[in-house]
Amino acid sequence: MDYFIALNQILILFLLIGVGFFCRRVGIFNETSVVSLSKFLLHICIPAMIIYSMQIPFTSELLQNGELLLVAALGYYAVSLVVAWFAPVLLRARHEEYGVFRFMLVFSNSMFMGFPVLKMIFGPDAIFYAAIFNIPFTILAYSLGIWLLTAHGGGEGRPVFQPKLLLNAAFFSTFVGLALFLTSTTIPDPINGSLALLDSVTTPLSLVVTGGFLAQLDLSKIFGNVRQYFVAGIRLLILPALVYVIFSPFIENPLILGVVVVTAGMPAATNTVMLASEHRVHPDIAAQGVFITTLVSVVTLPLLAMFLS
């Protein structure tokens, strides 16, 4: 894929982020509506997309690929944790930045941006694997992730895993979809048709909501921290390159490798800000990181798309 073709495809997605940004800035959206749309996505649209994407014929090859991807996901988090642990030290970050930078480097925006970008690069089959890859995210973000945030940010610094956080529709729908896939159960046409329609609106709505979320940040305080650009470089370039070098000798399937590498090259997770705010660990630093990594990814994601295709 030529860089400019890839850039054109990525820009289509980013223009939808711009639509959400504009709507929030001019008041078409307010904070409540952005939150409501986010909940609609998380509880309705994304689960529908996941289940619909898993309505494919069962084969032993797909099952083996899913198992391989789950192992690869755990391997990715191990690699990203090592990188995240030493990066703030090497960047001579301030003590209060350690936790947020580490969370940003371990957890990417694998759902709101990851699903649309993977679908654009690899087609709808990628969502099946992306949903499997996302299973460890939910478990680790609310256990290891909270510990990373609070250990150097004034919190208690102890891993606090809340099992109730696993009771979310996106996480649950992955297992519903897998159960239907493993038992070769076909959803009846009226329901499957509704899932297909919800699937079709998930990509644009996810990006519009991302833009609405970014528009709520204080832009005057976004660009002053030079270390954020180095973190963005690690998040968007070094991590996916490192993941590719480590995993490519072991993963022959280009789709599986692509899902792992592209997810590794996504911007920082949007819930970085929400968790930092909830645990009173410098949400301003988190907001800077989320905005800058999302902005810079308009350049880096086409490079990834071109390289992998």
Side-chain angles (χ1 to χ4, degrees):
M1 182 183 290
D2 180 81
Y3 176 79
F4 290 102
I5 295 176
L7 177 62
N8 179 66
Q9 294 299 312
I10 296 295
L11 283 177
I12 292 172
L13 303 183
F14 272 82
L15 284 173
L16 291 175
I17 293 177
V19 169
F21 190 96
F22 173 79
C23 288
R24 178 66 182 93
R25 282 289 177 173
V26 301
I28 296 174
F29 291 161
N30 56 29
E31 184 177 354
T32 302
S33 59
V34 171
V35 171
S36 297
L37 284 172
S38 176
K39 288 181 178 179
F40 177 66
L41 274 167
L42 285 171
H43 296 293
I44 303 297
C45 291
I46 288 176
M49 172 189 270
I50 291 171
I51 293 173
Y52 182 73
S53 72
M54 292 184 173
Q55 282 288 285
I56 53 179
F58 172 84
T59 66
S60 58
E61 181 183 1
L62 277 175
L63 180 61
Q64 291 172 358
N65 287 342
E67 293 171 350
L68 174 61
L69 190 64
L70 193 57
V71 173
L74 295 174
Y76 157 73
Y77 282 109
V79 170
S80 62
L81 180 60
V82 172
V83 172
W85 191 260
F86 291 104
V89 179
L90 296 175
L91 292 175
R92 297 182 179 180
R94 299 195 305 269
H95 189 73
E96 62 269 21
E97 294 174 326
Y98 274 38
V100 173
F101 283 175
R102 284 172 174 163
F103 189 98
M104 286 169 50
L105 290 172
V106 173
F107 300 103
S108 70
N109 193 344
S110 58
M111 190 173 293
F112 276 9
M113 280 192 65
F115 282 14
V117 171
L118 286 168
K119 191 174 183 180
M120 184 275 296
I121 298 174
F122 300 110
D125 291 346
I127 303 301
F128 175 86
Y129 295 117
I132 295 175
F133 190 91
N134 210 54
I135 292 173
F137 177 94
T138 305
I139 299 171
L140 294 174
Y142 295 98
S143 53
L144 173 67
I146 292 174
W147 178 76
L148 287 173
L149 276 173
T150 58
H152 290 88
E156 296 180 353
R158 297 193 303 270
V160 181
F161 178 56
Q162 302 176 42
K164 66 179 182 180
L165 293 170
L166 297 181
L167 300 177
N168 66 79
F171 188 70
F172 181 68
S173 64
T174 302
F175 291 97
V176 171
L178 281 173
L180 295 173
F181 165 71
L182 292 172
T183 57
S184 297
T185 302
T186 302
I187 298 174
D189 282 340
I191 299 175
N192 199 49
S194 298
L195 292 175
L197 289 173
L198 287 169
D199 170 69
S200 67
V201 303
T202 300
T203 291
L205 192 57
S206 294
L207 297 166
V208 168
V209 168
T210 298
F213 169 77
L214 292 176
Q216 296 176 164
L217 307 179
D218 185 352
L219 298 187
S220 65
K221 299 178 181 178
I222 292 293
F223 300 104
N225 189 342
V226 176
R227 286 179 293 275
Q228 291 280 9
Y229 298 99
F230 287 101
V231 172
I234 297 171
R235 166 78 270 168
L236 300 171
L237 290 174
I238 293 177
L239 263 175
L242 187 60
V243 166
Y244 180 83
V245 169
I246 292 173
F247 288 90
S248 57
F250 306 102
I251 302 178
E252 297 180 357
N253 187 313
L255 177 54
I256 295 177
L257 182 62
V259 168
V260 178
V261 174
V262 171
T263 303
M266 283 291 115
T270 53
N271 66 347
T272 308
V273 181
M274 292 178 280
L275 286 174
S277 178
E278 180 181 348
H279 294 276
R280 297 183 294 279
V281 187
H282 302 283
D284 55 328
I285 298 173
Q288 292 171 1
V290 170
F291 190 92
I292 289 173
T293 55
T294 303
L295 185 65
V296 175
S297 68
V298 73
V299 177
T300 59
L301 286 176
L303 290 173
L304 271 181
M306 180 181 66
F307 176 74
L308 291 169
S309 60

